[in-house]
Structure formats: structure tokens, C-alpha cells
Amino acid sequence: MDKVIMIGTFEFLGFHFTKKMLEEGMEVVGVHFNKEKKESYLIEEKRLQIGRNANFLEEKFNSFNGEGFESAPLIVDYYDFFMREDEEQLVALIENQLLLQNREKIIFLLPLSIFNKEFKDNRNNLEKLISSVKKQNQFVQEFFLPTVYGPWQSEAFLFQQTFVKKRDEWKLTAREWTADALYVEDVVANILKLMEQDEKRYILKNAVSAAWKKCAKFLEIEEVPVRTIDRGDDGCEVIVHQATSFEMGLIKQKNIIETLGM
């Protein structure tokens, strides 16, 4: 794999995937969507880190047709759009975009919390989209993820809120998976390897039990009940052995915030 298209290149996961793939010498087309003005400075900071790499090409979603990258795998960061309650925009745009047609491989980054019963409609819409994509492409992989934390995490997550908001402003939503958590660099490293495998559906899980609670304890978050969330059992469960400790991962997350003066 020497060329990749990353949809959502300036999202939390999308940025980390883009950065890692560039470090490994891949050519990456980073496809992005317009963000709210209050978030635009974050895009500029991320652009400074990857935009000068000769292997990086930045494109807007509504104007990129995939020319020159016809056989390149395509990664869709649905996960971050879901976390900030903007997934319907992504689905609508993808449904009207030829970019996802006739590709050898498409990878979806997805939240485990979408199996929560209150997101039944969201899940049905996602399944329809993926089913449609599968009819047009040779190989589609799905990666389901718990809470992912680390530098550049969005304020949709409680961990990030503890660094940038007052305690009485913290808000844990049903979209955040409280049964498990993974550090973002561990997620990226494992998925890039798994993309070379033949399984079509993966569920990533931390080798350390109660990972979300351990992170919450370090951040002095008061006891939060772990929600019982029903999920489908189909999918290859992947145990992720963390290369970065909870404490170090959260410290790195905080350091980015302090550096940016957020």
C-alpha cells in the first residue's frame, strides 16, 4: 500500500492516520469538510504539521474525484462525525459522491456506541450506506472502536472536556463508550496492520480491563456507571496491547492543549 485517500483528514482519528501514513512514506490525499469558524484554527495547526510533506495532497470533499488515486484504498472517519453528532452530513455527502465507487478497498472507522439502542436509526442508516458501498466495491472493512483518546481529541469526549472546561460544564453523552478506551496511536498502528488482512469486520478492545474507568480516575472524574450496550457479536475481536500508558497518553493530550493555548 503506497497510496491512500483519507476522508476526514483533519478529524481526530483522520489526522492521526494521515500523519502516521505520511511518516511511513505513503502518498496521502487528505479529503476534508468545511468546519465551524471556531475550529478553523485547529485545522491550521494540523495543516502546519502535515501540509508541507511532499506526499500530502489536500482536497475538499465536494471537488475531489479521485483522479490519480483510482486504485488507492479509501479510509472513512465516520467515528468522529458520529461523536460530534454530524454523521448524517457525512452520509448524505457520501451517498451523492462518486469517490466511493469501483474501489479495491474501503475502510470505515466506526464507533462501538452506535450499537446502543437509542442509535437504532443511525445504525440503520449506516448499514444501508455500507451495504450500498459493498455493492460497488471489491472489499469493505469495518473497524469498531471504543472511546479513543490522545492528542487532538475533540470536545465531544469527556476526557477532553476535563482539560478545557469547568467541571460544571462537563457532559458525558451516550455516544461515548464508557466500557473501554484505547490510545489513538495504538489504534492507528493496529488498524494499519489489520488493513492488510482478509477479515471484513473487526472490534478493537484494550488488553487492560476497565480502561475507560482507569483514564477517568486519573482525570479525577467521579464514578460513572458503565452503560450496558448491546452490540452484534459478528466480527473479529482484536486485543490491543497498549504501547502507551493511560497516564502518558492523557499527559500528551493535555500538553497539546497547553501548547495551543486552548
Side-chain angles (χ1 to χ4, degrees):
M1 184 171 68
D2 55 1
K3 290 184 177 183
V4 179
I5 299 172
M6 181 74 235
I7 292 183
T9 195
F10 292 128
E11 303 295 332
F12 170 45
L13 286 181
F15 174 69
H16 281 278
F17 270 91
T18 300
K19 189 175 180 181
K20 180 63 174 177
M21 291 186 293
L22 289 171
E23 289 172 355
E24 294 188 357
M26 301 180 200
E27 291 182 55
V28 181
V29 173
V31 182
H32 74 95
F33 301 79
N34 292 328
K35 293 270 225 172
E36 296 179 12
K37 290 183 178 179
K38 67 178 182 179
E39 298 177 327
S40 61
Y41 77 99
L42 293 176
I43 290 179
E44 292 305 317
E45 292 292 338
K46 293 174 183 176
R47 188 177 280 125
L48 285 173
Q49 295 195 27
I50 60 178
R52 293 172 182 160
N53 191 306
N55 284 338
F56 179 69
L57 175 64
E58 180 182 331
E59 294 281 356
K60 291 183 179 179
F61 187 80
N62 57 5
S63 61
F64 179 58
N65 61 12
E67 185 176 353
F69 283 74
E70 288 81 1
S71 62
L74 187 147
I75 304 175
V76 180
D77 184 6
Y78 178 97
Y79 182 95
D80 282 299
F81 281 84
F82 177 84
M83 283 304 303
R84 67 164 189 269
E85 302 182 30
D86 206 15
E87 71 278 6
E88 296 307 316
Q89 177 201 22
L90 177 64
V91 170
L93 286 168
I94 287 176
E95 287 176 340
N96 295 305
Q97 172 59 269
L98 299 177
L99 185 60
L100 274 72
Q101 295 183 8
N102 302 316
R103 296 204 161 271
E104 293 183 5
K105 179 179 287 190
I106 293 181
I107 296 96
F108 283 91
L109 308 176
L110 304 167
L112 270 168
S113 53
I114 201 168
F115 288 107
N116 189 325
K117 62 182 180 180
E118 64 191 275
F119 299 122
K120 181 179 179 180
D121 290 342
N122 310 68
R123 186 170 68 253
N124 288 341
N125 290 338
L126 173 64
E127 290 174 351
K128 288 178 183 177
L129 171 66
I130 293 179
S131 177
S132 174
V133 171
K134 286 179 178 177
K135 292 177 182 177
Q136 304 173 52
N137 299 279
Q138 295 184 31
F139 192 69
V140 176
Q141 284 184 313
E142 302 166 55
F143 291 92
F144 286 92
L145 307 170
T147 290
V148 182
Y149 67 97
W152 304 100
Q153 190 188 49
S154 79
E155 290 183 26
F157 294 88
L158 185 57
F159 296 170
Q160 182 77 350
Q161 293 175 40
T162 67
F163 296 126
V164 299
K165 293 184 176 183
K166 296 178 181 178
R167 185 177 290 269
D168 60 3
E169 297 176 333
W170 295 356
K171 182 181 178 182
L172 176 68
T173 75
R175 293 177 181 247
E176 183 162 353
W177 180 272
T178 59
D180 195 12
L182 290 168
Y183 183 61
V184 64
E185 292 180 5
D186 295 335
V187 168
V188 173
N190 276 268
I191 289 180
L192 288 179
K193 292 179 181 177
L194 292 169
M195 281 168 54
E196 305 297 330
Q197 306 300 317
D198 295 330
E199 291 287 343
K200 294 183 178 180
R201 206 175 208 212
Y202 294 90
I203 299 169
L204 273 63
K205 181 179 180 181
N206 201 318
V208 179
S209 62
W212 193 94
K213 279 192 171 184
K214 288 180 170 64
C215 290
K217 182 178 181 180
F218 179 77
L219 295 171
E220 299 181 351
I221 296 172
E222 296 177 1
E223 185 69 20
V224 177
V226 175
R227 299 185 187 90
T228 300
I229 303 177
D230 296 326
R231 67 165 177 80
D233 291 326
D234 57 324
C236 178
E237 190 171 90
V238 176
I239 304 301
V240 177
H241 297 276
Q242 55 184 36
T244 304
S245 68
F246 300 119
E247 296 82 2
M248 183 54 65
L250 292 166
I251 288 170
K252 287 183 177 181
Q253 183 168 333
K254 182 179 180 182
N255 287 344
I256 283 288
I257 295 168
E258 293 176 345
T259 299
L260 296 177
M262 294 171 63

